[in-house]
């Protein structure tokens, strides 16, 4: 590739990178695209399948739709598309149908790339149109943008999981009393809590007033006789 063409391709890729940053700002995977004709910008696009609820809203197709509507033609044989990530099979076929002259992409996509990574739709000689493809233009810059995005997303998901576990840890945990080696439930609670929970605190206070009588009696029978005698005296004429 000659030097002027390399410079033009890098310029086009920088424009596509600007669109990728727009995708990142709205929480989409940062992929951007731009369509040029004779060096002039015809249309731009960035990933928006999540925000538009449209699985076909990849950056290439967003830009392609805008360009076709603007030029009022579904064929774009004089146009070049720059995209920051290798097109998938869906986008590759759409670009072939639109008869693009050139497609230039940045980072390679080893999972879904259809311009040489997983398959090469553009290189299929049996198709009735062939489009020139150039890959790896500013690949490091385009790839770093994607890597940073997914690293931040993983870190955010991890922090959310940690926060969820911490919130769960603050909730009361049910105790299986059968696993407490024969201890009764009340045995594991402090006495003040037992009084509050049972409502017997007031009764205990009332019974405490009989303590002197119980202390003077030698046994339970005598205590009963003393209390009965006092009751008889108070009930006299």
């Amino acid at each position: 590739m000659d030097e002027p063409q390399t410079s033009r391709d890098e310029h086009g890729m920088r424009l596509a990178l600007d669109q990728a940053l727009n995708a990142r700002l709205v929480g989409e995977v940062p992929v951007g695209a731009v369509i040029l004709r004779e060096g002039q910008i015809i249309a731009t696009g960035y990933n928006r399948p999540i925000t538009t609820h449209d699985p076909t809203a990849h950056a290439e197709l967003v830009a392609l739709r805008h360009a076709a509507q603007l030029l009022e033609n579904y064929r774009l044989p004089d146009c070049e598309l720059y995209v920051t990530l290798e097109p998938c099979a869906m986008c590759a076929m759409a670009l072939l149908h639109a008869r693009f002259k050139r497609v230039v992409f940045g980072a390679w996509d080893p999972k879904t790339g259809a311009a040489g990574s997983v398959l090469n739709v553009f290189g299929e000689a049996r198709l009735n149109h062939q489009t020139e493809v150039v890959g790896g233009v500013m690949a490091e810059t385009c790839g770093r943008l994607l890597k940073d995005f997914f690293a931040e997303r993983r870190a955010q998901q991890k922090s959310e999981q940690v926060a969820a576990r911490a919130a769960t840890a603050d909730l009361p945990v049910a105790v299986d009393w059968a696993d407490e080696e024969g201890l009764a439930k009340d045995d594991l609670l402090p006495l003040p809590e037992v009084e509050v929970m049972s409502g017997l605190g007031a009764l205990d206070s009332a019974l405490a007033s009989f303590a002197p009588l119980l202390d003077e009696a030698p046994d339970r029978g005598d205590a009963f006789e003393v209390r009965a005698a006092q009751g008889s005296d108070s009930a006299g004429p």
Side-chain angles (χ1 to χ4, degrees), residues 31-92:
V31 178
V34 61
I35 295 175
L36 303 180
R37 186 176 68 171
E38 297 179 357
Q40 300 296 317
I41 297 176
I42 301 300
T44 60
Y46 57 85
N47 255 12
R48 54 179 71 180
I50 298 174
T51 53
T52 61
H53 311 293
D54 181 1
T56 69
H58 289 191
E60 302 95 308
L61 296 191
V62 173
L64 173 59
R65 289 167 182 153
H66 290 167
Q69 292 173 0
L70 178 66
L71 299 176
E72 297 182 343
N73 197 337
Y74 74 107
R75 303 294 196 196
L76 305 172
D78 298 326
C79 294
E80 300 173 291
L81 179 132
Y82 292 84
V83 61
T84 57
L85 182 65
E86 181 182 1
C88 67
M90 175 184 68
C91 294

Side-chain angles (χ1 to χ4, degrees), residues 22-227:
N22 289 336
R24 183 174 183 173
L25 287 175
V26 297
E28 297 275 6
V29 176
V31 178
V34 61
I35 295 175
L36 303 180
R37 186 176 68 171
E38 297 179 357
Q40 300 296 317
I41 297 176
I42 301 300
T44 60
Y46 57 85
N47 255 12
R48 54 179 71 180
I50 298 174
T51 53
T52 61
H53 311 293
D54 181 1
T56 69
H58 289 191
E60 302 95 308
L61 296 191
V62 173
L64 173 59
R65 289 167 182 153
H66 290 167
Q69 292 173 0
L70 178 66
L71 299 176
E72 297 182 343
N73 197 337
Y74 74 107
R75 303 294 196 196
L76 305 172
D78 298 326
C79 294
E80 300 173 291
L81 179 132
Y82 292 84
V83 61
T84 57
L85 182 65
E86 181 182 1
C88 67
M90 175 184 68
C91 294
M93 284 305 303
L95 297 172
L96 285 172
H97 281 303
R99 304 292 195 266
F100 270 81
K101 179 172 65 175
R102 292 178 80 235
V103 172
V104 181
F105 66 87
W108 296 86
D109 185 350
K111 293 185 178 180
T112 63
S117 290
V118 178
L119 67 158
N120 190 358
V121 174
F122 296 101
E124 180 52 65
R126 292 172 293 180
L127 297 176
N128 62 350
H129 176 77
Q130 277 72 46
T131 294
E132 179 186 351
V133 179
V134 177
V137 175
M138 299 183 66
E140 183 178 353
T141 302
C142 296
R144 188 186 317 115
L145 181 61
L146 289 163
K147 290 178 181 178
D148 291 346
F149 172 80
F150 286 112
E152 291 175 3
R153 173 174 286 186
R154 286 191 294 270
Q156 181 181 1
Q157 291 174 345
K158 184 177 181 180
S159 63
E160 290 174 353
Q161 292 172 356
V162 171
R165 286 196 296 268
T168 303
D170 291 338
L171 296 176
V173 179
V175 177
D176 186 355
W177 305 107
D179 294 336
E180 295 295 337
E181 298 181 355
L183 292 177
K185 182 174 181 179
D186 290 343
D187 291 336
L188 300 180
L189 295 175
L191 182 57
E193 294 187 21
V194 174
E195 293 182 353
V196 172
M197 294 176 64
S198 64
L200 297 179
L203 179 59
D204 291 339
S205 299
L207 292 177
S209 62
F210 291 100
L213 299 177
L214 297 176
D215 291 339
E216 294 175 1
D219 55 34
R220 294 179 61 87
D222 293 340
F224 176 79
E225 292 175 359
V226 170
R227 282 180 289 178

